[in-house]
Amino acid sequence: MSWLPKSPKARRRLWVVAAAAPVLALAVGLSLWAMQDNVTFFFSPSEATAEAAPAGRNIRLGGLVETGSVVQDGATVTFAVTDNAATSRVIYEGDLPDLFREGQGIVAEGAFGPDRVFRASTVLAKHDETYMPREVADRLKASGEWRPEGGAASPATAQAPAQAQGQRSL
């Protein structure tokens, strides 16, 4: 075995590394496999196809609340989220954030049902007049629909002053 080191000390180190490498690889593999259920992907309504976001898989759906789509029936609220290319119907049971309204940017966390209706477990709304979730803003810019009102700052620059003051953003 000419590829082995001649020194007994170096040979011992090689065997230790050779024995530890598979154990470490197995530990990393098991950790990644265990975390796959905790990963939540973000989709806009046009990206949330049956192939990309299958029924029952936990995802985040973001976009603008479509004007005239909010229907409240007791504690259940039904509304539509759009990215101006596609629309997804959302059903949410519970109290909506105070800043939730039509035409506002939101991110809903939940899963699509077999009927392709999104059942949200959490709804997050923007927290001030200049903030929009970065993913939503990027999608709107890519589709040419981005219109900052009154020369408002972009999402990245709007977060910087709030974080500098110690405030938390969405």
Side-chain angles (χ1 to χ4, degrees):
M1 290 197 196
S2 62
W3 57 273
L4 285 175
K6 292 183 180 180
S7 163
K9 199 175 205 180
R11 194 175 294 162
R12 201 173 314 125
R13 276 192 221 132
L14 179 64
W15 284 114
V16 168
V17 169
V23 173
L24 182 62
L26 181 66
V28 168
L30 288 174
S31 297
L32 292 174
W33 182 72
M35 288 189 298
Q36 73 183 1
D37 290 337
N38 295 331
V39 174
T40 306
F41 293 101
F42 177 87
F43 292 96
S44 66
S46 59
E47 296 172 337
T49 62
E51 296 81 32
R57 181 176 173 199
N58 235 16
I59 65 165
R60 287 186 178 159
L61 180 70
L64 301 173
V65 178
E66 197 170 57
T67 305
S69 69
V70 179
V71 177
Q72 190 154 8
D73 182 25
T76 303
V77 181
T78 304
F79 57 94
V81 174
T82 184
D83 60 358
N84 295 326
T87 302
S88 294
R89 200 167 126 230
V90 178
I91 297 175
Y92 176 68
E93 292 187 26
D95 294 329
L96 289 168
D98 292 337
L99 296 174
F100 178 90
R101 60 184 169 269
E102 295 175 350
Q104 199 75 17
I106 64 125
V107 175
E109 189 169 335
F112 279 102
D115 54 356
R116 296 309 292 166
V117 173
F118 191 77
R119 300 202 191 314
S121 58
T122 306
V123 174
L124 306 170
K126 69 181 207 176
H127 77 282
D128 68 11
E129 294 304 315
T130 58
Y131 176 78
M132 179 178 290
R134 182 169 301 163
E135 294 91 349
V136 174
D138 291 344
R139 300 295 193 295
L140 290 174
K141 285 177 185 176
S143 68
E145 296 292 329
W146 175 255
R147 284 176 249 135
E149 299 168 16
S154 69
T157 58
Q159 290 179 15
Q163 290 172 348
Q165 296 171 1
Q167 298 173 350
R168 287 184 44 200
S169 62
L170 177 60

